[in-house]
Amino acid sequence: MIPQNRRTRKSLIKSRAPKPKSEMSRSTKLTDMKRIFIILSLALFCLQIPGMAQKTRVGIEAGATIANLYGKIDGVTTDYNSKGGFTAGLLIDAPIGKSRFSFRPGVSYVQKGASVNKTVDQELIWATRYANFDMTFAYQTKGAKGVTILAGLGPSVSLNLPSKKITKTRDAKTEENLVMDKESPAEIKGIDYGATGFAGLQMKNGAFLTVSYNYGIRNLIPEKDPVDELRSGCVSIKIGILLRNNK
């Protein structure tokens, strides 16, 4: 089922005349610039933290994602197909005193979305893109042969980046911008927030492997509706390494 329900169509009819394309373009560019500024500022902040504590280390990570959207449209439970993607980012591992806990925040680029309508002849994909900020706390315990076992949990915030609607047929593939905002005519809300949990293994040299799940608790339907709801979920499988802190 294509997520263009009667609520959206009615709201489009009732809404005021759309803004001129030039005005919408300027507004979108300003919003994107603000988000890029926030992302760069947080990334720079992450790079500065190691200078504050001797045992704090910066890490880099990358991997694959499997995402989907869950909920109800027109009161009917969605049956979307998962979508694969890519993720990469920076993280910090800051031990908390002499305990086994550490603060492990991170900023990453994440590809999410879902295949929202698939038939024999055609597939409609929402390819959403986010700058994701995780503020997780990790518990670490020693395993066999010096391997550290990790587990963590914490809140997350996702800022939407330019995203696409992709239509695939047997003969062609077309793309158009996916409108993400909190009001109609947007098809899905932009900013998302929720929680991230992860588990993994870390070697003595700082190399690590983690599997995480990010669940968005925000209803992504653009306008309030007593029945409709849509929330995101994303599994990430990542490898990375914590860099040496020479201070």
Side-chain angles (χ1 to χ4, degrees), residues 192-207:
D192 195 10
Y193 46 80
T196 297
F198 74 91
L201 301 174
Q202 184 171 300
M203 310 304 168
K204 283 184 176 181
N205 63 358

Side-chain angles (χ1 to χ4, degrees), residues 136-199:
T136 54
F137 290 86
Y139 178 81
Q140 306 180 20
T141 185
K142 297 295 183 181
K145 297 182 179 181
V147 175
T148 299
I149 301 171
L150 306 171
L153 181 68
S156 68
V157 176
S158 299
L159 300 182
N160 59 296
L161 300 173
S163 302
K164 298 291 184 181
K165 257 193 319 189
I166 302 171
T167 301
K168 292 182 179 180
T169 63
R170 292 182 177 181
D171 304 319
K173 174 183 174 181
T174 60
E175 296 183 1
E176 58 182 303
N177 291 332
L178 178 65
V179 182
M180 303 174 73
D181 205 343
K182 60 183 179 180
E183 296 178 352
S184 180
E187 294 167 277
I188 186 173
K189 286 180 181 176
I191 297 175
D192 195 10
Y193 46 80
T196 297
F198 74 91

Side-chain angles (χ1 to χ4, degrees), residues 63-106:
T65 60
I66 303 172
N68 209 334
L69 295 167
Y70 308 94
K72 293 182 179 180
I73 302 295
D74 283 345
V76 179
T77 301
T78 59
D79 187 21
Y80 300 158
N81 293 309
S82 298
K83 176 190 171 299
F86 170 78
T87 181
L90 296 170
L91 62 89
I92 296 294
D93 184 73
I96 300 175
K98 296 182 179 180
S99 71
R100 294 184 178 180
F101 290 92
S102 64
F103 181 43
R104 203 174 173 105

